[in-house]
Amino acid sequence: MEELFSGDNKFITIVILGAILMLIMALTLILFFYLSRKKIIQKELEKKTLELKHQKEMLKATIVAQEAERNRIAQDLHDAISAKLNVVSLSANFLLEEENVSSQETEEIITHMLKVTNKTIESSRKIAHNLLPPILEKFGLGAALEELCDEFSNSKKVHVSSKIDYTAGRLSKDSELHVFRIVQELMNNSMRHGKAKGIELNFNPTKENLFLHYKDDGLGFDTKKIGVQKGLGLRNIESRVSLLQGKINYYSEKEKGVQVEITI
């Protein structure tokens, strides 16, 4: 050691030790950045995995909701239209095939056929209205939401107060239908599950976003258990919000109603 740090060897030894120290520091920094980068990549992968999982859940919820809607429409068509048309067909065939039918019987059968036909027309109008409300198609989302609020208020089972400030054409027709179905589902949930007596709806725009604030005074639920309690209705709402590239937040406590904030 004395020889290393004596005379000419001293300078060389210091240079070598300095180079070794610098090399160790460089290796340490490289290892640090490698591990940090690896951790960042791992977090990004976890984030992407969660996003993909969420997208799959939303897609599944959308498909389930669509299938439920198809089944409902099929049931409505069978119960409200097909059955009534069968009655009309049987009555018409009876008049054609039976020879000894009195004029009074013929008049009664025709009157009955007209009543059934009128009921069938009314049923088809209701089904068409449920598929796409005419007011939404003709006058836009604002008018459709106002009509929806009036319909629920007129039922006398719940009072709905609303403040809707929406410029027609701000959203595409498909997006307007999604917003309409979201509000419709929220109100149905408040009535069926929340037993609400009062509902507030505010739909206000800014230059960048559209804000929808919904509130009821119903039974509410535990937001910590919302992942477990999510039914088809909530999943359907979330899938539509996802399609709108929006965000949704729930605020609720048991016996204290529900607040829902949606930003589009």
Side-chain angles (χ1 to χ4, degrees):
M1 291 295 293
E2 288 180 1
E3 290 180 0
L4 287 173
F5 287 97
S6 64
D8 296 335
N9 292 335
K10 184 177 180 180
F11 177 75
I12 296 170
T13 302
I14 292 172
V15 170
I16 292 171
L17 289 175
I20 292 170
L21 184 61
M22 291 292 290
L23 182 61
I24 292 170
M25 289 176 64
L27 289 173
T28 303
L29 285 172
I30 291 169
L31 183 62
F32 172 76
F33 283 118
Y34 171 76
L35 293 175
S36 298
R37 182 62 180 168
K38 186 178 179 182
K39 198 171 183 180
I40 291 169
I41 292 171
Q42 187 176 357
K43 285 185 177 180
E44 286 293 325
L45 286 172
E46 289 175 358
K47 184 180 177 181
K48 292 293 182 183
T49 302
L50 287 173
E51 287 178 357
L52 285 172
K53 185 179 178 182
H54 179 71
Q55 288 175 2
K56 285 180 180 178
E57 287 179 355
M58 291 299 98
L59 180 60
K60 183 179 178 181
T62 302
I63 293 170
V64 170
Q66 287 175 344
E67 287 301 317
E69 186 72 4
R70 288 191 186 101
N71 290 334
R72 184 190 64 77
I73 294 168
Q75 192 66 40
D76 286 347
L77 289 172
H78 179 271
D79 295 343
I81 294 180
S82 180
K84 290 182 175 66
L85 290 177
N86 283 333
V87 172
V88 174
S89 178
L90 289 171
S91 298
N93 285 327
F94 177 80
L95 288 176
L96 289 172
E97 293 171 0
E98 291 293 328
E99 296 180 358
N100 299 321
V101 181
S102 65
S103 58
Q104 184 179 353
E105 288 176 327
T106 302
E107 186 177 348
E108 289 176 355
I109 291 171
I110 291 173
T111 302
H112 178 66
M113 288 170 63
L114 288 172
K115 287 182 180 179
V116 173
T117 302
N118 288 333
K119 287 181 180 179
T120 304
I121 293 170
E122 185 62 29
S123 297
S124 65
R125 283 176 181 167
K126 287 181 179 178
I127 293 171
H129 185 276
N130 288 331
L131 288 173
L132 182 64
I135 193 170
L136 181 63
E137 182 70 21
K138 292 180 180 179
F139 302 106
L141 179 59
L145 289 176
E146 288 175 359
E147 184 186 57
L148 183 65
C149 293
D150 289 340
E151 285 177 356
F152 274 85
S153 286
N154 291 335
S155 70
K156 306 300 181 184
K157 293 181 180 180
V158 65
H159 174 71
V160 181
S161 60
S162 62
K163 183 180 179 182
I164 299 165
D165 185 10
Y166 175 77
T167 304
R170 176 83 182 265
L171 295 171
S172 67
K173 288 293 181 182
D174 288 341
S175 296
E176 286 189 346
L177 181 59
H178 284 312
V179 174
F180 180 83
R181 293 302 185 203
I182 287 168
V183 176
Q184 190 178 45
E185 188 68 47
L186 287 170
M187 289 187 173
N188 285 330
N189 284 346
S190 294
M191 295 286 289
R192 284 200 305 263
H193 307 299
K195 312 298 180 186
K197 298 297 180 184
I199 293 173
E200 294 179 19
L201 173 67
N202 291 308
F203 189 46
N204 304 312
T206 65
K207 188 176 181 180
E208 299 292 332
N209 302 310
L210 290 171
F211 294 100
L212 192 151
H213 183 266
Y214 180 90
K215 182 180 179 181
D216 72 29
D217 61 359
L219 299 176
F221 55 83
D222 187 353
T223 53
K224 294 178 181 178
K225 297 180 180 178
I226 191 170
V228 179
Q229 293 178 340
K230 274 182 192 174
L232 180 61
L234 284 180
R235 291 185 184 278
N236 188 22
I237 290 170
E238 289 187 359
S239 67
R240 291 185 185 276
V241 172
S242 179
L243 289 171
L244 290 166
Q245 297 181 343
K247 295 180 181 179
I248 183 168
N249 291 304
Y250 303 96
Y251 305 93
S252 181
E253 292 181 40
K254 286 189 175 181
E255 307 299 331
K256 292 187 178 180
V258 176
Q259 290 189 59
V260 181
E261 291 182 357
I262 297 172
T263 305
I264 303 169

mmCIF file of all heavy atoms in Angstrom, residues 153-193:
data_model
loop_
_atom_site.group_PDB
_atom_site.id
_atom_site.type_symbol
_atom_site.label_atom_id
_atom_site.label_comp_id
_atom_site.label_asym_id
_atom_site.label_seq_id
_atom_site.Cartn_x
_atom_site.Cartn_y
_atom_site.Cartn_z
ATOM 1 N N SER A 153 -93.681 13.410 -13.945
ATOM 2 C CA SER A 153 -94.424 14.263 -13.008
ATOM 3 C C SER A 153 -95.927 14.031 -13.108
ATOM 4 O O SER A 153 -96.641 14.004 -12.095
ATOM 5 C CB SER A 153 -94.109 15.732 -13.268
ATOM 6 O OG SER A 153 -92.820 16.068 -12.814
ATOM 7 N N ASN A 154 -96.411 13.857 -14.331
ATOM 8 C CA ASN A 154 -97.842 13.649 -14.547
ATOM 9 C C ASN A 154 -98.341 12.321 -13.989
ATOM 10 O O ASN A 154 -99.547 12.135 -13.815
ATOM 11 C CB ASN A 154 -98.176 13.730 -16.040
ATOM 12 C CG ASN A 154 -98.013 15.135 -16.595
ATOM 13 O OD1 ASN A 154 -98.101 16.114 -15.850
ATOM 14 N ND2 ASN A 154 -97.757 15.259 -17.888
ATOM 15 N N SER A 155 -97.407 11.399 -13.709
ATOM 16 C CA SER A 155 -97.810 10.120 -13.111
ATOM 17 C C SER A 155 -98.274 10.303 -11.670
ATOM 18 O O SER A 155 -98.886 9.410 -11.093
ATOM 19 C CB SER A 155 -96.640 9.129 -13.140
ATOM 20 O OG SER A 155 -95.618 9.529 -12.236
ATOM 21 N N LYS A 156 -97.961 11.460 -11.070
ATOM 22 C CA LYS A 156 -98.322 11.809 -9.693
ATOM 23 C C LYS A 156 -97.589 10.963 -8.646
ATOM 24 O O LYS A 156 -97.843 11.098 -7.452
ATOM 25 C CB LYS A 156 -99.850 11.675 -9.477
ATOM 26 C CG LYS A 156 -100.711 12.459 -10.457
ATOM 27 C CD LYS A 156 -100.422 13.942 -10.397
ATOM 28 C CE LYS A 156 -101.311 14.718 -11.361
ATOM 29 N NZ LYS A 156 -100.983 16.160 -11.379
ATOM 30 N N LYS A 157 -96.699 10.104 -9.095
ATOM 31 C CA LYS A 157 -95.942 9.273 -8.157
ATOM 32 C C LYS A 157 -94.637 9.939 -7.737
ATOM 33 O O LYS A 157 -94.049 9.590 -6.714
ATOM 34 C CB LYS A 157 -95.638 7.913 -8.793
ATOM 35 C CG LYS A 157 -96.876 7.058 -9.022
ATOM 36 C CD LYS A 157 -96.493 5.715 -9.633
ATOM 37 C CE LYS A 157 -97.730 4.859 -9.853
ATOM 38 N NZ LYS A 157 -97.375 3.541 -10.456
ATOM 39 N N VAL A 158 -94.195 10.917 -8.529
ATOM 40 C CA VAL A 158 -92.943 11.604 -8.240
ATOM 41 C C VAL A 158 -93.013 13.013 -8.822
ATOM 42 O O VAL A 158 -93.667 13.244 -9.842
ATOM 43 C CB VAL A 158 -91.738 10.828 -8.845
ATOM 44 C CG1 VAL A 158 -91.810 10.819 -10.368
ATOM 45 C CG2 VAL A 158 -90.406 11.400 -8.372
ATOM 46 N N HIS A 159 -92.357 13.947 -8.133
ATOM 47 C CA HIS A 159 -92.279 15.318 -8.651
ATOM 48 C C HIS A 159 -90.897 15.531 -9.246
ATOM 49 O O HIS A 159 -89.877 15.279 -8.596
ATOM 50 C CB HIS A 159 -92.508 16.336 -7.538
ATOM 51 C CG HIS A 159 -92.288 17.755 -7.975
ATOM 52 N ND1 HIS A 159 -93.157 18.407 -8.829
ATOM 53 C CD2 HIS A 159 -91.280 18.626 -7.703
ATOM 54 C CE1 HIS A 159 -92.695 19.635 -9.057
ATOM 55 N NE2 HIS A 159 -91.561 19.789 -8.385
ATOM 56 N N VAL A 160 -90.855 15.993 -10.489
ATOM 57 C CA VAL A 160 -89.586 16.203 -11.189
ATOM 58 C C VAL A 160 -89.403 17.687 -11.466
ATOM 59 O O VAL A 160 -90.250 18.315 -12.097
ATOM 60 C CB VAL A 160 -89.534 15.418 -12.523
ATOM 61 C CG1 VAL A 160 -88.179 15.644 -13.196
ATOM 62 C CG2 VAL A 160 -89.784 13.941 -12.297
ATOM 63 N N SER A 161 -88.305 18.247 -10.968
ATOM 64 C CA SER A 161 -87.944 19.627 -11.306
ATOM 65 C C SER A 161 -86.705 19.578 -12.198
ATOM 66 O O SER A 161 -85.783 18.799 -11.945
ATOM 67 C CB SER A 161 -87.643 20.437 -10.041
ATOM 68 O OG SER A 161 -86.571 19.870 -9.319
ATOM 69 N N SER A 162 -86.702 20.397 -13.226
ATOM 70 C CA SER A 162 -85.615 20.307 -14.203
ATOM 71 C C SER A 162 -85.165 21.688 -14.660
ATOM 72 O O SER A 162 -85.954 22.640 -14.692
ATOM 73 C CB SER A 162 -86.051 19.484 -15.416
ATOM 74 O OG SER A 162 -87.140 20.104 -16.074
ATOM 75 N N LYS A 163 -83.887 21.760 -15.008
ATOM 76 C CA LYS A 163 -83.322 22.949 -15.634
ATOM 77 C C LYS A 163 -82.460 22.458 -16.789
ATOM 78 O O LYS A 163 -81.378 21.915 -16.587
ATOM 79 C CB LYS A 163 -82.479 23.743 -14.640
ATOM 80 C CG LYS A 163 -81.916 25.043 -15.226
ATOM 81 C CD LYS A 163 -81.087 25.798 -14.212
ATOM 82 C CE LYS A 163 -80.506 27.070 -14.832
ATOM 83 N NZ LYS A 163 -79.649 27.799 -13.870
ATOM 84 N N ILE A 164 -82.983 22.613 -17.991
ATOM 85 C CA ILE A 164 -82.324 22.058 -19.182
ATOM 86 C C ILE A 164 -81.941 23.197 -20.114
ATOM 87 O O ILE A 164 -82.799 23.926 -20.614
ATOM 88 C CB ILE A 164 -83.255 21.053 -19.897
ATOM 89 C CG1 ILE A 164 -83.593 19.897 -18.963
ATOM 90 C CG2 ILE A 164 -82.606 20.530 -21.174
ATOM 91 C CD1 ILE A 164 -84.755 19.054 -19.413
ATOM 92 N N ASP A 165 -80.660 23.378 -20.295
ATOM 93 C CA ASP A 165 -80.139 24.426 -21.178
ATOM 94 C C ASP A 165 -79.278 23.749 -22.237
ATOM 95 O O ASP A 165 -78.074 23.570 -22.067
ATOM 96 C CB ASP A 165 -79.316 25.422 -20.364
ATOM 97 C CG ASP A 165 -78.839 26.603 -21.200
ATOM 98 O OD1 ASP A 165 -79.306 26.727 -22.346
ATOM 99 O OD2 ASP A 165 -77.993 27.374 -20.718
ATOM 100 N N TYR A 166 -79.912 23.381 -23.334
ATOM 101 C CA TYR A 166 -79.216 22.619 -24.366
ATOM 102 C C TYR A 166 -79.546 23.180 -25.740
ATOM 103 O O TYR A 166 -80.721 23.408 -26.066
ATOM 104 C CB TYR A 166 -79.620 21.144 -24.303
ATOM 105 C CG TYR A 166 -79.039 20.300 -25.430
ATOM 106 C CD1 TYR A 166 -77.714 19.893 -25.405
ATOM 107 C CD2 TYR A 166 -79.823 19.937 -26.530
ATOM 108 C CE1 TYR A 166 -77.177 19.132 -26.436
ATOM 109 C CE2 TYR A 166 -79.300 19.178 -27.564
ATOM 110 C CZ TYR A 166 -77.971 18.780 -27.512
ATOM 111 O OH TYR A 166 -77.451 18.035 -28.539
ATOM 112 N N THR A 167 -78.516 23.401 -26.526
ATOM 113 C CA THR A 167 -78.691 23.894 -27.893
ATOM 114 C C THR A 167 -78.819 22.705 -28.838
ATOM 115 O O THR A 167 -77.942 21.832 -28.866
ATOM 116 C CB THR A 167 -77.494 24.758 -28.320
ATOM 117 O OG1 THR A 167 -77.325 25.823 -27.375
ATOM 118 C CG2 THR A 167 -77.718 25.335 -29.704
ATOM 119 N N ALA A 168 -79.913 22.673 -29.587
ATOM 120 C CA ALA A 168 -80.158 21.563 -30.520
ATOM 121 C C ALA A 168 -79.003 21.420 -31.503
ATOM 122 O O ALA A 168 -78.492 22.410 -32.025
ATOM 123 C CB ALA A 168 -81.462 21.792 -31.283
ATOM 124 N N GLY A 169 -78.571 20.179 -31.714
ATOM 125 C CA GLY A 169 -77.496 19.910 -32.652
ATOM 126 C C GLY A 169 -76.112 19.934 -32.038
ATOM 127 O O GLY A 169 -75.113 19.695 -32.731
ATOM 128 N N ARG A 170 -76.032 20.244 -30.732
ATOM 129 C CA ARG A 170 -74.712 20.254 -30.065
ATOM 130 C C ARG A 170 -74.085 18.860 -30.123
ATOM 131 O O ARG A 170 -72.875 18.718 -30.295
ATOM 132 C CB ARG A 170 -74.904 20.709 -28.619
ATOM 133 C CG ARG A 170 -73.644 20.691 -27.753
ATOM 134 C CD ARG A 170 -72.819 21.930 -27.932
ATOM 135 N NE ARG A 170 -71.598 21.870 -27.138
ATOM 136 C CZ ARG A 170 -71.471 22.387 -25.924
ATOM 137 N NH1 ARG A 170 -72.503 22.997 -25.348
ATOM 138 N NH2 ARG A 170 -70.328 22.315 -25.295
ATOM 139 N N LEU A 171 -74.907 17.837 -29.943
ATOM 140 C CA LEU A 171 -74.458 16.449 -30.042
ATOM 141 C C LEU A 171 -75.061 15.806 -31.285
ATOM 142 O O LEU A 171 -76.065 16.279 -31.815
ATOM 143 C CB LEU A 171 -74.890 15.655 -28.804
ATOM 144 C CG LEU A 171 -74.291 16.068 -27.452
ATOM 145 C CD1 LEU A 171 -75.000 15.328 -26.324
ATOM 146 C CD2 LEU A 171 -72.804 15.817 -27.413
ATOM 147 N N SER A 172 -74.461 14.711 -31.722
ATOM 148 C CA SER A 172 -75.023 13.966 -32.848
ATOM 149 C C SER A 172 -76.331 13.296 -32.422
ATOM 150 O O SER A 172 -76.622 13.196 -31.228
ATOM 151 C CB SER A 172 -74.033 12.894 -33.326
ATOM 152 O OG SER A 172 -73.866 11.894 -32.325
ATOM 153 N N LYS A 173 -77.112 12.824 -33.371
ATOM 154 C CA LYS A 173 -78.387 12.166 -33.071
ATOM 155 C C LYS A 173 -78.184 10.931 -32.197
ATOM 156 O O LYS A 173 -78.940 10.684 -31.261
ATOM 157 C CB LYS A 173 -79.106 11.780 -34.373
ATOM 158 C CG LYS A 173 -79.678 12.947 -35.152
ATOM 159 C CD LYS A 173 -80.814 13.612 -34.390
ATOM 160 C CE LYS A 173 -81.414 14.768 -35.182
ATOM 161 N NZ LYS A 173 -82.492 15.449 -34.411
ATOM 162 N N ASP A 174 -77.153 10.155 -32.513
ATOM 163 C CA ASP A 174 -76.868 8.962 -31.715
ATOM 164 C C ASP A 174 -76.507 9.338 -30.283
ATOM 165 O O ASP A 174 -76.956 8.696 -29.326
ATOM 166 C CB ASP A 174 -75.721 8.154 -32.341
ATOM 167 C CG ASP A 174 -76.146 7.435 -33.618
ATOM 168 O OD1 ASP A 174 -77.365 7.266 -33.823
ATOM 169 O OD2 ASP A 174 -75.264 7.046 -34.406
ATOM 170 N N SER A 175 -75.693 10.387 -30.119
ATOM 171 C CA SER A 175 -75.287 10.822 -28.779
ATOM 172 C C SER A 175 -76.479 11.364 -27.999
ATOM 173 O O SER A 175 -76.601 11.133 -26.792
ATOM 174 C CB SER A 175 -74.186 11.887 -28.877
ATOM 175 O OG SER A 175 -73.026 11.343 -29.460
ATOM 176 N N GLU A 176 -77.360 12.095 -28.689
ATOM 177 C CA GLU A 176 -78.571 12.600 -28.029
ATOM 178 C C GLU A 176 -79.436 11.454 -27.521
ATOM 179 O O GLU A 176 -79.970 11.508 -26.407
ATOM 180 C CB GLU A 176 -79.375 13.474 -28.993
ATOM 181 C CG GLU A 176 -78.753 14.838 -29.246
ATOM 182 C CD GLU A 176 -79.669 15.767 -30.026
ATOM 183 O OE1 GLU A 176 -80.673 15.299 -30.596
ATOM 184 O OE2 GLU A 176 -79.374 16.972 -30.056
ATOM 185 N N LEU A 177 -79.540 10.393 -28.311
ATOM 186 C CA LEU A 177 -80.321 9.226 -27.893
ATOM 187 C C LEU A 177 -79.684 8.568 -26.671
ATOM 188 O O LEU A 177 -80.389 8.151 -25.744
ATOM 189 C CB LEU A 177 -80.437 8.225 -29.045
ATOM 190 C CG LEU A 177 -81.262 6.966 -28.747
ATOM 191 C CD1 LEU A 177 -82.699 7.314 -28.343
ATOM 192 C CD2 LEU A 177 -81.274 6.027 -29.953
ATOM 193 N N HIS A 178 -78.348 8.498 -26.638
ATOM 194 C CA HIS A 178 -77.660 7.918 -25.480
ATOM 195 C C HIS A 178 -77.964 8.720 -24.215
ATOM 196 O O HIS A 178 -78.266 8.148 -23.158
ATOM 197 C CB HIS A 178 -76.149 7.881 -25.718
ATOM 198 C CG HIS A 178 -75.704 6.793 -26.643
ATOM 199 N ND1 HIS A 178 -76.129 5.481 -26.513
ATOM 200 C CD2 HIS A 178 -74.866 6.802 -27.711
ATOM 201 C CE1 HIS A 178 -75.571 4.741 -27.454
ATOM 202 N NE2 HIS A 178 -74.811 5.518 -28.195
ATOM 203 N N VAL A 179 -77.882 10.050 -24.306
ATOM 204 C CA VAL A 179 -78.162 10.906 -23.145
ATOM 205 C C VAL A 179 -79.605 10.721 -22.691
ATOM 206 O O VAL A 179 -79.891 10.604 -21.487
ATOM 207 C CB VAL A 179 -77.884 12.389 -23.469
ATOM 208 C CG1 VAL A 179 -78.325 13.282 -22.307
ATOM 209 C CG2 VAL A 179 -76.408 12.606 -23.767
ATOM 210 N N PHE A 180 -80.528 10.683 -23.638
ATOM 211 C CA PHE A 180 -81.946 10.488 -23.316
ATOM 212 C C PHE A 180 -82.156 9.167 -22.578
ATOM 213 O O PHE A 180 -82.851 9.119 -21.562
ATOM 214 C CB PHE A 180 -82.786 10.515 -24.602
ATOM 215 C CG PHE A 180 -84.254 10.317 -24.362
ATOM 216 C CD1 PHE A 180 -85.060 11.375 -23.992
ATOM 217 C CD2 PHE A 180 -84.828 9.056 -24.505
ATOM 218 C CE1 PHE A 180 -86.420 11.196 -23.762
ATOM 219 C CE2 PHE A 180 -86.186 8.863 -24.281
ATOM 220 C CZ PHE A 180 -86.985 9.935 -23.903
ATOM 221 N N ARG A 181 -81.534 8.079 -23.075
ATOM 222 C CA ARG A 181 -81.688 6.765 -22.446
ATOM 223 C C ARG A 181 -81.046 6.735 -21.057
ATOM 224 O O ARG A 181 -81.549 6.057 -20.157
ATOM 225 C CB ARG A 181 -81.069 5.680 -23.321
ATOM 226 C CG ARG A 181 -81.785 5.437 -24.647
ATOM 227 C CD ARG A 181 -83.216 5.053 -24.450
ATOM 228 N NE ARG A 181 -83.866 4.716 -25.725
ATOM 229 C CZ ARG A 181 -85.175 4.762 -25.924
ATOM 230 N NH1 ARG A 181 -85.980 5.163 -24.948
ATOM 231 N NH2 ARG A 181 -85.697 4.434 -27.099
ATOM 232 N N ILE A 182 -79.945 7.470 -20.875
ATOM 233 C CA ILE A 182 -79.299 7.541 -19.562
ATOM 234 C C ILE A 182 -80.250 8.164 -18.545
ATOM 235 O O ILE A 182 -80.457 7.623 -17.453
ATOM 236 C CB ILE A 182 -77.995 8.359 -19.650
ATOM 237 C CG1 ILE A 182 -76.910 7.546 -20.367
ATOM 238 C CG2 ILE A 182 -77.505 8.758 -18.254
ATOM 239 C CD1 ILE A 182 -75.686 8.361 -20.747
ATOM 240 N N VAL A 183 -80.840 9.310 -18.903
ATOM 241 C CA VAL A 183 -81.765 9.993 -17.991
ATOM 242 C C VAL A 183 -82.999 9.124 -17.740
ATOM 243 O O VAL A 183 -83.490 9.015 -16.604
ATOM 244 C CB VAL A 183 -82.172 11.372 -18.560
ATOM 245 C CG1 VAL A 183 -83.213 12.033 -17.661
ATOM 246 C CG2 VAL A 183 -80.954 12.266 -18.707
ATOM 247 N N GLN A 184 -83.507 8.497 -18.790
ATOM 248 C CA GLN A 184 -84.667 7.617 -18.658
ATOM 249 C C GLN A 184 -84.379 6.469 -17.687
ATOM 250 O O GLN A 184 -85.198 6.144 -16.825
ATOM 251 C CB GLN A 184 -85.043 7.071 -20.032
ATOM 252 C CG GLN A 184 -86.373 6.330 -20.072
ATOM 253 C CD GLN A 184 -86.709 5.866 -21.490
ATOM 254 O OE1 GLN A 184 -85.856 5.324 -22.200
ATOM 255 N NE2 GLN A 184 -87.934 6.104 -21.911
ATOM 256 N N GLU A 185 -83.184 5.881 -17.802
ATOM 257 C CA GLU A 185 -82.797 4.771 -16.924
ATOM 258 C C GLU A 185 -82.635 5.249 -15.486
ATOM 259 O O GLU A 185 -83.034 4.560 -14.544
ATOM 260 C CB GLU A 185 -81.494 4.143 -17.433
ATOM 261 C CG GLU A 185 -81.101 2.861 -16.723
ATOM 262 C CD GLU A 185 -82.044 1.704 -17.027
ATOM 263 O OE1 GLU A 185 -82.366 1.470 -18.208
ATOM 264 O OE2 GLU A 185 -82.479 1.047 -16.058
ATOM 265 N N LEU A 186 -82.043 6.424 -15.304
ATOM 266 C CA LEU A 186 -81.883 6.984 -13.961
ATOM 267 C C LEU A 186 -83.237 7.198 -13.289
ATOM 268 O O LEU A 186 -83.426 6.872 -12.110
ATOM 269 C CB LEU A 186 -81.119 8.309 -14.024
ATOM 270 C CG LEU A 186 -79.616 8.222 -14.312
ATOM 271 C CD1 LEU A 186 -79.052 9.614 -14.588
ATOM 272 C CD2 LEU A 186 -78.879 7.575 -13.156
ATOM 273 N N MET A 187 -84.190 7.741 -14.044
ATOM 274 C CA MET A 187 -85.518 7.989 -13.482
ATOM 275 C C MET A 187 -86.239 6.679 -13.171
ATOM 276 O O MET A 187 -86.901 6.555 -12.127
ATOM 277 C CB MET A 187 -86.346 8.843 -14.452
ATOM 278 C CG MET A 187 -85.885 10.283 -14.541
ATOM 279 S SD MET A 187 -87.001 11.304 -15.543
ATOM 280 C CE MET A 187 -86.291 12.925 -15.266
ATOM 281 N N ASN A 188 -86.120 5.715 -14.057
ATOM 282 C CA ASN A 188 -86.737 4.411 -13.798
ATOM 283 C C ASN A 188 -86.156 3.766 -12.539
ATOM 284 O O ASN A 188 -86.887 3.186 -11.727
ATOM 285 C CB ASN A 188 -86.536 3.483 -15.001
ATOM 286 C CG ASN A 188 -87.444 3.830 -16.161
ATOM 287 O OD1 ASN A 188 -88.545 4.341 -15.973
ATOM 288 N ND2 ASN A 188 -86.996 3.581 -17.371
ATOM 289 N N ASN A 189 -84.833 3.877 -12.367
ATOM 290 C CA ASN A 189 -84.187 3.327 -11.173
ATOM 291 C C ASN A 189 -84.673 4.033 -9.906
ATOM 292 O O ASN A 189 -84.885 3.396 -8.863
ATOM 293 C CB ASN A 189 -82.662 3.451 -11.278
ATOM 294 C CG ASN A 189 -82.066 2.432 -12.222
ATOM 295 O OD1 ASN A 189 -82.717 1.460 -12.608
ATOM 296 N ND2 ASN A 189 -80.825 2.644 -12.619
ATOM 297 N N SER A 190 -84.829 5.372 -9.996
ATOM 298 C CA SER A 190 -85.312 6.138 -8.838
ATOM 299 C C SER A 190 -86.707 5.690 -8.427
ATOM 300 O O SER A 190 -87.018 5.611 -7.232
ATOM 301 C CB SER A 190 -85.323 7.635 -9.162
ATOM 302 O OG SER A 190 -84.018 8.125 -9.343
ATOM 303 N N MET A 191 -87.547 5.402 -9.412
ATOM 304 C CA MET A 191 -88.919 4.991 -9.138
ATOM 305 C C MET A 191 -88.991 3.544 -8.648
ATOM 306 O O MET A 191 -89.620 3.242 -7.635
ATOM 307 C CB MET A 191 -89.768 5.151 -10.408
ATOM 308 C CG MET A 191 -89.928 6.580 -10.865
ATOM 309 S SD MET A 191 -91.051 7.508 -9.816
ATOM 310 C CE MET A 191 -92.613 6.762 -10.274
ATOM 311 N N ARG A 192 -88.333 2.636 -9.385
ATOM 312 C CA ARG A 192 -88.455 1.205 -9.093
ATOM 313 C C ARG A 192 -87.694 0.790 -7.840
ATOM 314 O O ARG A 192 -88.236 0.106 -6.976
ATOM 315 C CB ARG A 192 -87.954 0.374 -10.278
ATOM 316 C CG ARG A 192 -88.905 0.303 -11.446
ATOM 317 C CD ARG A 192 -88.585 -0.899 -12.332
ATOM 318 N NE ARG A 192 -87.201 -0.898 -12.768
ATOM 319 C CZ ARG A 192 -86.780 -0.442 -13.937
ATOM 320 N NH1 ARG A 192 -87.643 0.074 -14.787
ATOM 321 N NH2 ARG A 192 -85.503 -0.484 -14.272
ATOM 322 N N HIS A 193 -86.441 1.217 -7.755
ATOM 323 C CA HIS A 193 -85.572 0.755 -6.674
ATOM 324 C C HIS A 193 -85.449 1.772 -5.539
ATOM 325 O O HIS A 193 -85.376 1.386 -4.370
ATOM 326 C CB HIS A 193 -84.176 0.438 -7.223
ATOM 327 C CG HIS A 193 -84.198 -0.513 -8.382
ATOM 328 N ND1 HIS A 193 -84.704 -1.794 -8.289
ATOM 329 C CD2 HIS A 193 -83.785 -0.362 -9.672
ATOM 330 C CE1 HIS A 193 -84.593 -2.388 -9.463
ATOM 331 N NE2 HIS A 193 -84.048 -1.549 -10.318
#
